[in-house]
Amino acid sequence: MQRFYITTPIYYVNDAPHIGHAYTTLACDALARFMRLDGRAVHFLTGTDEHGQKVEKAARDGGSEPQDFTDKVSQNFRDLARELDISNDDFIRTTEARHKACCSELWRRMAAGTAPNGESNIYLGKYAGWYAVRDEAFYGEDELTTGPDGRKRAPSGAEVEWVEEPSYFFRLSAWQDWLLDYYSTINPDFIGPNTRRNEVLSFVKQGLTDLSISRTTFSWGIPVPGDPKHIMYVWLDALSNYVSALGWPANEGDPAGLFAKFWPADLHMVGKDIVRFHTVYWPAFLKAAGLEPPRRVFAHGWWTVEGQKMSKSLGNAVKPAAMIAKYGLDPVRYFLLREVPFGQDGDFSQAAMVRRINTDLANDLGNLGQRVLSFIQKNGGAVVPQPGAFTPEDRRLLDATTALMPVLRHELGQMQAFNRALEAIFAVVADANRYVDVQAPWTLRKTDPARMATVLYVLADTIRRVAILLQPFMPQSMAKLLDQLAVPPGPGRDFARLEQALVPGTALPPPAGVFPRYQEAAT
């Protein structure tokens, strides 16, 4: 059985979950569900990043200990997964013992190895440079801008401060040529989309400097093995979660263990602001430790709200729970993955959300299911109709659903193009609606009942196939639709059964609308 290991970034516990966190998690969930339905063994990981100077300061400012603070905030992200109906297999926290053991061993192996230039991977020195506490990242002078207040800021907008302290360094500069070869020759599909790939290539080609990977000015983190006054760089700590969650190094020699089964990861899904850490630092860390890098990293864009950047000062952050309460869970899932090309920035607006609900879901898909199943209930004895010989028009519609599988495997599995995958499915929904209008079963009821039964059968089976394919995106709604087609839960809803047609004569329950039109409540 093919396997598939997919991860979200672990979310930093410095704020309440918002639409950006939901976006990444939903995308990974849709892919994980798709791969399971397609017969793969899937491991889907999410979690929280809980160490670092910023967390320590936030806890102290709030009058609590860092562990108590992270316990509380981490739970918010578990709650988010539940609210979004996320199917993750594990939730990793960087304060867990399994993670700390992994980080320490990764450091030891990096330190024991040599860089491509023959020198040690890690050495002790002194760091002097610009550090952004908010980003937990170091920046070069050429990356900074100076604002009207005279303060220097990172590309993210975070204020930077000059830091001088003893530090261990990772000899990143020696890995530059290997990284460029990895991007171009060894694994040219490593970074997606192409815009992000080009950015990373440009950054690496400009020349890499050695990376400070320890701090001594705070204590909330994982101590460096053998030198506990140093705390590991928070990104070395955080990135290690992808292997610590698989039980490494404890199960390294176990061929049946999660690490042997699922590493290297098939896909790290991240926001575009952290692509450098995942595509430059992480593969170099792993290679230095003698481990394989992940197969692919995809960096998606950011969301604005009604044309404005989300910010605390504007108070316009969209909370997933509020969206779900207002629009419903599956419409939110659908909107976020359908509205913009995945990888580009998108804007959340009330008008766009309502348009998707009322046009795509209520008018196109919902109305198709409701009118076909209601017609069968009233005019077909409330059972799956008995079809006759299929016409070319019938075959064309059924074949269109069969032809979707290779398209979806490409768009989702290879390109992470969720919007194009949904466009392809809804093109078949549009074909089915046109087929209804052309075949006019309400007229056939009087002139050719046998043909009416065939038309209704083709439509019912098309709806079944579409519902099976849409399960990764809208699992709860499609479960309701498949229930109305009397498709039992379980293997019958897997992609392998896509062409296993409905059985004529099967009793169908009374239909109920799956996607009501959205209307603003009267004030």
Side-chain angles (χ1 to χ4, degrees), residues 38 42 50 129 146 154 173 179 210 229 254 256-257 280 286 325 367 431 439 451 455 485 521:
D38 206 20
V42 171
E50 303 179 21
T146 303
S173 59
L179 283 166
D210 292 349
K229 66 179 179 294
D254 181 3
V280 180
L286 287 165
N367 187 50
D431 290 342
Q439 298 299 324
R451 175 60 188 160
V455 167
L485 289 161

PDB file of all heavy atoms in Angstrom, residues 38 42 50 129 146 154 173 179 210 229 254 256-257 280 286 325 367 431 439 451 455 485 521:
ATOM      1  N   ASP A  38      -8.373   7.254  -1.657  1.00  0.00           N
ATOM      2  CA  ASP A  38      -7.706   6.699  -2.838  1.00  0.00           C
ATOM      3  C   ASP A  38      -6.851   5.475  -2.493  1.00  0.00           C
ATOM      4  O   ASP A  38      -6.052   5.033  -3.317  1.00  0.00           O
ATOM      5  CB  ASP A  38      -6.843   7.776  -3.497  1.00  0.00           C
ATOM      6  CG  ASP A  38      -6.638   7.528  -4.984  1.00  0.00           C
ATOM      7  OD1 ASP A  38      -7.434   6.780  -5.591  1.00  0.00           O
ATOM      8  OD2 ASP A  38      -5.680   8.094  -5.557  1.00  0.00           O
ATOM      9  N   VAL A  42      -2.233   6.812   5.314  1.00  0.00           N
ATOM     10  CA  VAL A  42      -1.979   8.239   5.519  1.00  0.00           C
ATOM     11  C   VAL A  42      -1.614   8.510   6.974  1.00  0.00           C
ATOM     12  O   VAL A  42      -2.193   7.931   7.900  1.00  0.00           O
ATOM     13  CB  VAL A  42      -3.219   9.072   5.132  1.00  0.00           C
ATOM     14  CG1 VAL A  42      -3.051  10.531   5.548  1.00  0.00           C
ATOM     15  CG2 VAL A  42      -3.474   8.968   3.633  1.00  0.00           C
ATOM     16  N   GLU A  50       5.919  25.698  20.883  1.00  0.00           N
ATOM     17  CA  GLU A  50       5.655  26.296  22.193  1.00  0.00           C
ATOM     18  C   GLU A  50       6.867  26.882  22.895  1.00  0.00           C
ATOM     19  O   GLU A  50       6.759  27.326  24.042  1.00  0.00           O
ATOM     20  CB  GLU A  50       4.991  25.241  23.088  1.00  0.00           C
ATOM     21  CG  GLU A  50       3.716  24.693  22.456  1.00  0.00           C
ATOM     22  CD  GLU A  50       3.040  23.625  23.296  1.00  0.00           C
ATOM     23  OE1 GLU A  50       3.294  23.568  24.513  1.00  0.00           O
ATOM     24  OE2 GLU A  50       2.251  22.845  22.730  1.00  0.00           O
ATOM     25  N   GLY A 129      24.068  40.508  15.437  1.00  0.00           N
ATOM     26  CA  GLY A 129      23.227  40.791  14.282  1.00  0.00           C
ATOM     27  C   GLY A 129      21.807  41.149  14.676  1.00  0.00           C
ATOM     28  O   GLY A 129      21.498  41.338  15.852  1.00  0.00           O
ATOM     29  N   THR A 146      13.927  50.805   7.277  1.00  0.00           N
ATOM     30  CA  THR A 146      13.845  51.726   8.407  1.00  0.00           C
ATOM     31  C   THR A 146      12.574  52.547   8.283  1.00  0.00           C
ATOM     32  O   THR A 146      12.329  53.194   7.259  1.00  0.00           O
ATOM     33  CB  THR A 146      15.067  52.652   8.456  1.00  0.00           C
ATOM     34  OG1 THR A 146      16.255  51.843   8.517  1.00  0.00           O
ATOM     35  CG2 THR A 146      15.003  53.558   9.667  1.00  0.00           C
ATOM     36  N   ALA A 154      12.003  43.886   9.871  1.00  0.00           N
ATOM     37  CA  ALA A 154      12.209  42.746   8.978  1.00  0.00           C
ATOM     38  C   ALA A 154      11.217  42.813   7.827  1.00  0.00           C
ATOM     39  O   ALA A 154      10.274  43.611   7.854  1.00  0.00           O
ATOM     40  CB  ALA A 154      12.023  41.450   9.768  1.00  0.00           C
ATOM     41  N   SER A 173      26.601  27.824   5.205  1.00  0.00           N
ATOM     42  CA  SER A 173      27.278  28.277   3.984  1.00  0.00           C
ATOM     43  C   SER A 173      27.876  27.108   3.206  1.00  0.00           C
ATOM     44  O   SER A 173      27.920  27.128   1.973  1.00  0.00           O
ATOM     45  CB  SER A 173      28.382  29.280   4.340  1.00  0.00           C
ATOM     46  OG  SER A 173      29.331  28.679   5.219  1.00  0.00           O
ATOM     47  N   LEU A 179      22.372  22.370  -1.683  1.00  0.00           N
ATOM     48  CA  LEU A 179      20.982  22.817  -1.760  1.00  0.00           C
ATOM     49  C   LEU A 179      20.596  23.168  -3.192  1.00  0.00           C
ATOM     50  O   LEU A 179      19.529  22.760  -3.680  1.00  0.00           O
ATOM     51  CB  LEU A 179      20.764  24.027  -0.846  1.00  0.00           C
ATOM     52  CG  LEU A 179      20.656  23.724   0.653  1.00  0.00           C
ATOM     53  CD1 LEU A 179      20.780  25.012   1.462  1.00  0.00           C
ATOM     54  CD2 LEU A 179      19.348  23.020   0.977  1.00  0.00           C
ATOM     55  N   ASP A 210      26.580  31.356   7.700  1.00  0.00           N
ATOM     56  CA  ASP A 210      26.339  30.384   8.760  1.00  0.00           C
ATOM     57  C   ASP A 210      25.232  30.884   9.680  1.00  0.00           C
ATOM     58  O   ASP A 210      25.045  32.097   9.873  1.00  0.00           O
ATOM     59  CB  ASP A 210      27.618  30.127   9.551  1.00  0.00           C
ATOM     60  CG  ASP A 210      28.658  29.398   8.713  1.00  0.00           C
ATOM     61  OD1 ASP A 210      28.293  28.930   7.607  1.00  0.00           O
ATOM     62  OD2 ASP A 210      29.816  29.299   9.142  1.00  0.00           O
ATOM     63  N   LYS A 229      23.515  25.903  29.153  1.00  0.00           N
ATOM     64  CA  LYS A 229      23.263  27.350  29.235  1.00  0.00           C
ATOM     65  C   LYS A 229      22.825  27.906  27.883  1.00  0.00           C
ATOM     66  O   LYS A 229      22.297  29.015  27.798  1.00  0.00           O
ATOM     67  CB  LYS A 229      24.506  28.082  29.741  1.00  0.00           C
ATOM     68  CG  LYS A 229      25.714  28.055  28.828  1.00  0.00           C
ATOM     69  CD  LYS A 229      26.865  28.837  29.434  1.00  0.00           C
ATOM     70  CE  LYS A 229      28.103  28.800  28.545  1.00  0.00           C
ATOM     71  NZ  LYS A 229      28.666  27.436  28.455  1.00  0.00           N
ATOM     72  N   ASP A 254      13.211   0.092  13.896  1.00  0.00           N
ATOM     73  CA  ASP A 254      12.002  -0.732  13.812  1.00  0.00           C
ATOM     74  C   ASP A 254      11.391  -0.611  12.419  1.00  0.00           C
ATOM     75  O   ASP A 254      10.828   0.434  12.082  1.00  0.00           O
ATOM     76  CB  ASP A 254      11.000  -0.283  14.878  1.00  0.00           C
ATOM     77  CG  ASP A 254       9.728  -1.117  14.874  1.00  0.00           C
ATOM     78  OD1 ASP A 254       9.640  -2.084  14.080  1.00  0.00           O
ATOM     79  OD2 ASP A 254       8.812  -0.788  15.657  1.00  0.00           O
ATOM     80  N   ALA A 256       8.719  -1.680  11.335  1.00  0.00           N
ATOM     81  CA  ALA A 256       7.271  -1.504  11.408  1.00  0.00           C
ATOM     82  C   ALA A 256       6.884  -0.180  12.061  1.00  0.00           C
ATOM     83  O   ALA A 256       5.701   0.124  12.204  1.00  0.00           O
ATOM     84  CB  ALA A 256       6.635  -2.659  12.183  1.00  0.00           C
ATOM     85  N   GLY A 257       7.881   0.605  12.472  1.00  0.00           N
ATOM     86  CA  GLY A 257       7.597   1.864  13.160  1.00  0.00           C
ATOM     87  C   GLY A 257       7.138   2.955  12.217  1.00  0.00           C
ATOM     88  O   GLY A 257       7.297   2.872  10.991  1.00  0.00           O
ATOM     89  N   VAL A 280      15.314  25.775   3.091  1.00  0.00           N
ATOM     90  CA  VAL A 280      16.755  26.033   3.152  1.00  0.00           C
ATOM     91  C   VAL A 280      17.336  25.382   4.416  1.00  0.00           C
ATOM     92  O   VAL A 280      18.183  24.498   4.339  1.00  0.00           O
ATOM     93  CB  VAL A 280      17.066  27.542   3.127  1.00  0.00           C
ATOM     94  CG1 VAL A 280      18.581  27.773   3.197  1.00  0.00           C
ATOM     95  CG2 VAL A 280      16.489  28.185   1.868  1.00  0.00           C
ATOM     96  N   LEU A 286      18.648  18.233   8.153  1.00  0.00           N
ATOM     97  CA  LEU A 286      18.418  16.796   8.027  1.00  0.00           C
ATOM     98  C   LEU A 286      19.602  16.087   7.377  1.00  0.00           C
ATOM     99  O   LEU A 286      20.067  15.047   7.846  1.00  0.00           O
ATOM    100  CB  LEU A 286      17.143  16.547   7.223  1.00  0.00           C
ATOM    101  CG  LEU A 286      15.831  16.844   7.936  1.00  0.00           C
ATOM    102  CD1 LEU A 286      14.689  16.903   6.941  1.00  0.00           C
ATOM    103  CD2 LEU A 286      15.549  15.784   9.010  1.00  0.00           C
ATOM    104  N   ALA A 325     -20.272  29.271  12.574  1.00  0.00           N
ATOM    105  CA  ALA A 325     -21.587  29.562  13.153  1.00  0.00           C
ATOM    106  C   ALA A 325     -22.464  30.325  12.174  1.00  0.00           C
ATOM    107  O   ALA A 325     -23.690  30.132  12.128  1.00  0.00           O
ATOM    108  CB  ALA A 325     -21.422  30.353  14.450  1.00  0.00           C
ATOM    109  N   ASN A 367     -29.315  21.985  -5.572  1.00  0.00           N
ATOM    110  CA  ASN A 367     -30.546  21.902  -6.343  1.00  0.00           C
ATOM    111  C   ASN A 367     -30.575  20.658  -7.224  1.00  0.00           C
ATOM    112  O   ASN A 367     -31.628  20.037  -7.408  1.00  0.00           O
ATOM    113  CB  ASN A 367     -30.709  23.164  -7.195  1.00  0.00           C
ATOM    114  CG  ASN A 367     -32.043  23.218  -7.895  1.00  0.00           C
ATOM    115  OD1 ASN A 367     -33.086  23.039  -7.277  1.00  0.00           O
ATOM    116  ND2 ASN A 367     -32.016  23.448  -9.201  1.00  0.00           N
ATOM    117  N   ASP A 431     -22.640  20.003 -16.080  1.00  0.00           N
ATOM    118  CA  ASP A 431     -23.071  19.090 -17.150  1.00  0.00           C
ATOM    119  C   ASP A 431     -24.333  18.340 -16.739  1.00  0.00           C
ATOM    120  O   ASP A 431     -25.255  18.157 -17.546  1.00  0.00           O
ATOM    121  CB  ASP A 431     -21.965  18.070 -17.454  1.00  0.00           C
ATOM    122  CG  ASP A 431     -20.757  18.681 -18.139  1.00  0.00           C
ATOM    123  OD1 ASP A 431     -20.886  19.806 -18.684  1.00  0.00           O
ATOM    124  OD2 ASP A 431     -19.684  18.046 -18.122  1.00  0.00           O
ATOM    125  N   GLN A 439     -32.929  16.436 -21.084  1.00  0.00           N
ATOM    126  CA  GLN A 439     -33.657  15.159 -21.068  1.00  0.00           C
ATOM    127  C   GLN A 439     -35.082  15.317 -20.549  1.00  0.00           C
ATOM    128  O   GLN A 439     -35.968  14.533 -20.909  1.00  0.00           O
ATOM    129  CB  GLN A 439     -32.892  14.138 -20.204  1.00  0.00           C
ATOM    130  CG  GLN A 439     -31.503  13.814 -20.714  1.00  0.00           C
ATOM    131  CD  GLN A 439     -31.508  13.199 -22.103  1.00  0.00           C
ATOM    132  OE1 GLN A 439     -32.397  12.419 -22.458  1.00  0.00           O
ATOM    133  NE2 GLN A 439     -30.502  13.558 -22.911  1.00  0.00           N
ATOM    134  N   ARG A 451     -37.623   5.419 -20.520  1.00  0.00           N
ATOM    135  CA  ARG A 451     -36.520   6.348 -20.736  1.00  0.00           C
ATOM    136  C   ARG A 451     -36.365   7.264 -19.522  1.00  0.00           C
ATOM    137  O   ARG A 451     -35.250   7.580 -19.120  1.00  0.00           O
ATOM    138  CB  ARG A 451     -36.767   7.170 -22.004  1.00  0.00           C
ATOM    139  CG  ARG A 451     -35.734   8.262 -22.274  1.00  0.00           C
ATOM    140  CD  ARG A 451     -34.335   7.702 -22.445  1.00  0.00           C
ATOM    141  NE  ARG A 451     -33.326   8.775 -22.523  1.00  0.00           N
ATOM    142  CZ  ARG A 451     -32.036   8.605 -22.297  1.00  0.00           C
ATOM    143  NH1 ARG A 451     -31.559   7.421 -21.970  1.00  0.00           N
ATOM    144  NH2 ARG A 451     -31.199   9.610 -22.386  1.00  0.00           N
ATOM    145  N   VAL A 455     -32.878   7.963 -17.430  1.00  0.00           N
ATOM    146  CA  VAL A 455     -32.365   9.310 -17.171  1.00  0.00           C
ATOM    147  C   VAL A 455     -32.188   9.528 -15.667  1.00  0.00           C
ATOM    148  O   VAL A 455     -31.148  10.041 -15.211  1.00  0.00           O
ATOM    149  CB  VAL A 455     -33.308  10.375 -17.771  1.00  0.00           C
ATOM    150  CG1 VAL A 455     -32.958  11.769 -17.247  1.00  0.00           C
ATOM    151  CG2 VAL A 455     -33.229  10.348 -19.294  1.00  0.00           C
ATOM    152  N   LEU A 485     -28.764   8.545  -0.996  1.00  0.00           N
ATOM    153  CA  LEU A 485     -28.651   7.619  -2.124  1.00  0.00           C
ATOM    154  C   LEU A 485     -28.500   6.175  -1.645  1.00  0.00           C
ATOM    155  O   LEU A 485     -28.264   5.273  -2.451  1.00  0.00           O
ATOM    156  CB  LEU A 485     -27.453   8.004  -2.987  1.00  0.00           C
ATOM    157  CG  LEU A 485     -27.629   9.293  -3.803  1.00  0.00           C
ATOM    158  CD1 LEU A 485     -26.279   9.831  -4.250  1.00  0.00           C
ATOM    159  CD2 LEU A 485     -28.531   9.056  -4.998  1.00  0.00           C
ATOM    160  N   ALA A 521     -29.962  37.236   8.396  1.00  0.00           N
ATOM    161  CA  ALA A 521     -31.073  37.278   9.344  1.00  0.00           C
ATOM    162  C   ALA A 521     -31.635  38.690   9.407  1.00  0.00           C
ATOM    163  O   ALA A 521     -30.899  39.689   9.344  1.00  0.00           O
ATOM    164  CB  ALA A 521     -30.596  36.830  10.724  1.00  0.00           C
TER     165      ALA A 521
END
